[in-house]
Amino acid sequence: MTLPPFASGATVVRRDLLNGRVWTAAPHRVLHDDGTTLVLATWPGTVGYTPANWIRWFTTGNEQARQQAVADLTRGQWEIGRWVWQDTIVLTWVGLDPDFNLQLYRPVDGSPEHWKINFERPVRRTSIGIDTFDLLLDLVTDATGAWHFKDLEEYDEIRRRGLISDAEHERVQAATHRALAFTEAGMRPLVEDWTGWRVPDGWPTPELPPGALDNPAR
C-alpha cells in the first residue's frame, strides 16, 4: 500500500532498524513532503532513543564506549537509552538518493554550520515515519567547506564483522561516487542560503508517539 505524503508540521519518526530491532528512534517535524523527497527538522530539546554506549561516549568522550557501541551493534546485543538532542538544529533531506540522506547542522550558538551526507539503507515509509539503517559512513564538510569522509574505520569494522555484505559494500561504493558528484555539482539544497531559517512559530518540539519503539510500530 502506498502511504500518502506527510503533512507540513506533522511528526515523523526516523528509526534505524537492524534484524527487526530498533537501534535508534528520533522524532522530527515535516517541512516538506511530495511523496518522494521528505524534508525534516529537529532541534535541541527533542527526546529520542539511541544505543546506551553511544550516549556514554557522547556524554563522557570515552572512546572505549564508542568502540563498544560498534561491537554491540555487530553482535545484535545493544541496549537503547533516552537521549535529549542538544546544540544544533538539524535539517534532513530524505529521498534525494536511495542510499543516502543529506543533513544541515546549524549550531544554536551561532557557530559555523556544516553539511553531512549520511549513507544508509533504502528508506521504507511507515505510518509514523521512516525506517532505515545507518551504515556509519558519512561525507561531511569541514570549517573551510571542503568535503571529506568520516568514520571509515567504523564502517570497515562492521563490514569486517559481516554486517555489510560484499554486494552491499559495492552498492555503498557506488553511492559514495554519486554523493561526491552531488557535492561537486553544487546541487540543491547545497547552494541555497539556510542561515535565516527558523523553527516556525507555533511548532512544539516533536515527541515520539506511543509504540514508536515497537516493531512494527503501533
Side-chain angles (χ1 to χ4, degrees), residues 165-182:
S165 67
D166 289 345
E168 184 168 43
H169 175 64
E170 290 180 5
R171 180 173 180 137
V172 172
Q173 291 300 102
T176 63
H177 293 308
R178 295 197 304 274
L180 287 169
F182 181 88

Side-chain angles (χ1 to χ4, degrees), residues 112-131:
E113 63 188 26
H114 75 273
W115 291 93
K116 181 173 84 168
I117 288 176
N118 188 62
F119 297 94
E120 60 189 9
R121 289 180 176 163
V123 163
R124 182 177 69 86
R125 290 186 179 232
T126 72
S127 60
I128 67 166
I130 55 173
D131 287 349

